[in-house]
Amino acid sequence: VPELPEVETVARMIRPRLVGRTITGGRVLWERTVGDSRAFLRALRGATVRDVGRRGKYVVARLEPEGWLVGHLRMTGRMHVERAGWDPGAFAKVRLDLDDGTAFHFLDVRKFGRLWYVRDLAELLDELGPEPLGPEFTAERLLDDLRARKRLLKPLLLDQTFVAGIGNIYADESLFRARLHPLLRSDRVTREQAVRLHREIRATLTEAIEREGSSFDAFYRTPEGNPGSYQDQFLVYGRAGEPCPACGTRIRRLVVAQRGTHLCPTCQRPPRRARSLGGSSAKRPSSRRGRA
Ligand SMILES: [Zn+2]
């Protein structure tokens, strides 16, 4: 499933082909991709794309005179901007015609992807947590948010209201790099651990964007049709049974919150039961943060 780096790659590639273009019409071939196709096309016709970006796992295009075209790739969605006459093939779901003769295409094998037109982004994305590569996502904020939630680290990182854009792959990779166990409770994370997690989340996502994301199955392709290559850099994800790149211990796969979770049991020490030594996994939470 595409996560932040894959969606960022898509947004960056379609941006130069969409910005400045006016939508002249289009066709919806699969109603459920947009909800109400008539209202969707009516809202978009005549709109000019002013910017294309990303929020969490959503591609967002700002329109003039008003509103936003928003897309979510879900499992297998793809976005292309191609010349007139380009054949999108059997998985075409939506086409938007542009004033220079090109067209925006949304393709989707599994059909879970969605496109929306909204007047205000908040209608759709109000609940999203901070952007992990944005200025508001600081180590200090992460520490405060971890302590406020009292949840296990892995499911918390997957929660889009906690931080936007991270999915199963980048959660496992970030936790490994930060040497934190996925079952560690978020309110027991030390300041030093939070600083490490913050740093490794950002480094993992940044490196993955540089490699145009990960193509872990046949589905994800950049709009140029190329696979991303970050899957070659995975340290633990999908590597159960292989030696840990840091210490050689066999990488294990657990199921956490119904998601396959990959970790090194040596580098990522399991949290101790709360009763042992009356303490928590590593060190006690520092008392000056209060009882939250
Ligand atoms: Zn290890």
Side-chain angles (χ1 to χ4, degrees):
V1 175
E3 301 180 29
L4 186 154
E6 292 77 39
V7 179
E8 178 69 27
T9 301
V10 169
R12 287 182 184 189
M13 285 190 179
I14 63 173
R15 180 185 298 143
R17 298 177 186 193
L18 278 180
V19 171
R21 301 273 63 83
T22 296
I23 298 165
T24 57
R27 194 167 168 217
V28 174
L29 300 116
W30 184 254
E31 191 82 6
R32 272 191 277 160
T33 301
V34 302
D36 176 346
S37 62
R38 205 176 282 194
F40 177 77
L41 292 172
R42 195 189 318 123
L44 290 173
R45 197 171 294 121
T48 299
V49 179
R50 283 300 166 213
D51 196 12
V52 178
R54 178 195 54 75
R55 179 79 175 92
K57 299 180 196 171
Y58 297 81
V59 174
V60 298
R62 185 168 59 81
L63 305 173
E64 222 171 57
E66 65 169 347
W68 299 77
L69 173 63
V70 181
H72 198 299
L73 306 171
R74 296 272 160 70
M75 311 275 291
T76 58
R78 286 200 209 169
M79 294 178 180
H80 289 258
V81 180
E82 303 286 348
R83 307 229 148 267
W86 184 75
D87 178 9
F91 304 116
K93 298 290 174 275
V94 176
R95 188 193 74 233
L96 296 174
D97 300 319
L98 305 172
D99 61 348
D100 63 348
T102 64
F104 167 89
H105 297 268
F106 189 75
L107 283 60
D108 199 358
V109 177
R110 305 272 303 265
K111 304 181 200 170
F112 294 116
R114 276 296 307 259
L115 295 177
W116 297 264
Y117 169 82
V118 289
R119 285 243 163 76
D120 184 347
L121 266 191
E123 291 172 36
L124 203 57
L125 309 183
D126 202 27
E127 306 268 283
L128 283 184
E131 281 296 321
L133 297 177
E136 71 274 32
F137 184 72
T138 60
E140 204 58 32
R141 174 170 179 173
L142 177 61
L143 178 65
D144 288 345
D145 290 353
L146 287 167
R147 294 205 172 149
R149 294 288 189 120
K150 302 180 170 59
R151 288 177 57 194
L152 304 180
L153 281 187
K154 170 80 185 265
L156 189 53
L157 289 181
L158 298 180
D159 180 342
Q160 300 299 297
T161 68
F162 180 75
V163 59
I166 298 175
N168 209 33
I169 292 176
Y170 298 105
D172 283 6
E173 292 291 301
S174 301
L175 287 170
F176 170 75
R177 290 169 58 142
R179 304 194 304 282
L180 295 175
H181 197 280
L183 297 177
L184 182 60
R185 267 182 54 165
S186 66
D187 55 328
R188 295 183 179 167
V189 163
T190 64
R191 172 179 299 272
E192 191 229 329
Q193 288 172 328
V195 167
R196 236 158 51 207
L197 181 59
H198 174 261
R199 185 182 66 222
E200 297 305 335
I201 286 172
R202 289 168 76 111
T204 302
L205 295 173
T206 302
E207 289 165 24
I209 289 170
E210 284 165 8
R211 289 175 176 267
E212 301 186 336
S214 309
S215 300
F216 34 85
D217 58 31
F219 295 126
Y220 171 72
R221 289 287 182 280
T222 71
E224 305 286 358
N226 303 316
S229 65
Y230 191 69
Q231 69 279 3
D232 301 335
Q233 312 295 313
F234 289 167
L235 300 172
V236 289
Y237 184 84
R239 296 195 179 281
E242 295 179 30
C244 165
C247 75
T249 307
R250 269 175 201 277
I251 291 164
R252 283 181 57 198
R253 182 179 183 277
L254 309 176
V255 175
V256 178
Q258 295 151 327
R259 306 299 298 273
T261 295
H262 307 79
L263 65 115
C264 170
T266 304
C267 294
Q268 295 161 274
R269 291 219 327 272
R272 273 182 228 150
R273 302 289 290 264
R275 64 174 174 270
S276 69
L277 303 174
S280 57
S281 59
K283 292 175 198 156
R284 284 162 186 277
S286 97
S287 54
R288 72 200 144 105
R289 302 292 313 172
R291 298 188 188 80

